[in-house]
Amino acid sequence: MNRVVAGVVGLTVGVAVLVGCSDDKGEPAPSPAAGQSQVSTSGSTEVKVGGSDLPGLDLNSVTCVKQGGKINVASAAINGQAGLAVVMSDANPPAVESLGLTVDGNALAVTNTMGAKVGSAEVKVDGSTYTITGEASGADIKNPMAGMINKPFSITVTCN
């Protein structure tokens, strides 16, 4: 059972990072005036795991992209590992489809797809500021058989 859970968590983190960090083959993103995508890196961004700032995360690298009915929040890598990746529906209210982050060598995730539910997340919107809170679950990358790890998180990002 632990192998299945570790596999699902690893797959979820990988998918979230790929979707959240994809750059559409290097082509420039359409301007917000085109109505196809909106990219935001401004505003106050905060990412906390277990009540503390996510170690190694450069808050200036966190971006928010609205495109194709999705809201993607992503960051640069942390110490050579996946940083932060969130995929939400651009609905009212938005819902987290997948979330992946790496904390102290642990791959943590939230997902409710492919018949598997891992972790939990809730989104609150105040204007263009999104606050995502919940509990991410995962496994130690170096020892995935050690059992599940659960950590509370809070992410606040502005997405114009």
Side-chain angles (χ1 to χ4, degrees):
M1 178 66 179
N2 283 341
R3 289 181 190 185
V4 171
V5 172
V8 168
V9 169
L11 178 63
T12 301
V13 171
V15 168
V17 169
L18 288 174
V19 170
C21 296
S22 68
D23 67 356
D24 200 25
K25 298 183 182 178
E27 297 172 9
S31 68
Q36 294 184 6
S37 82
Q38 299 174 354
V39 179
S40 175
T41 57
S42 62
S44 59
T45 299
E46 183 178 275
V47 180
K48 294 194 178 285
V49 178
S52 301
D53 291 336
L54 182 59
L57 177 65
D58 177 5
L59 293 176
N60 293 322
S61 75
V62 178
T63 60
C64 181
V65 178
K66 288 184 176 183
Q67 185 173 9
K70 304 286 183 202
I71 302 169
N72 295 302
V73 178
S75 76
I78 300 172
N79 300 324
Q81 296 180 337
L84 168 70
V86 182
V87 179
M88 299 182 283
S89 64
D90 192 4
N92 187 13
V96 172
E97 295 177 1
S98 63
L99 178 144
L101 51 90
T102 302
V103 181
D104 300 328
N106 300 311
L108 302 177
V110 172
T111 188
N112 194 13
T113 59
M114 299 185 296
K117 180 168 175 36
V118 175
S120 64
E122 178 181 322
V123 183
K124 292 185 181 177
V125 183
D126 183 11
S128 59
T129 301
Y130 294 78
T131 302
I132 308 158
T133 57
E135 185 173 82
S137 300
D140 186 326
I141 293 171
K142 295 176 185 168
N143 186 9
M145 300 310 293
M148 294 300 292
I149 298 168
N150 299 301
K151 296 221 180 216
F153 67 88
S154 174
I155 301 164
T156 303
V157 64
T158 300
C159 196
N160 296 322

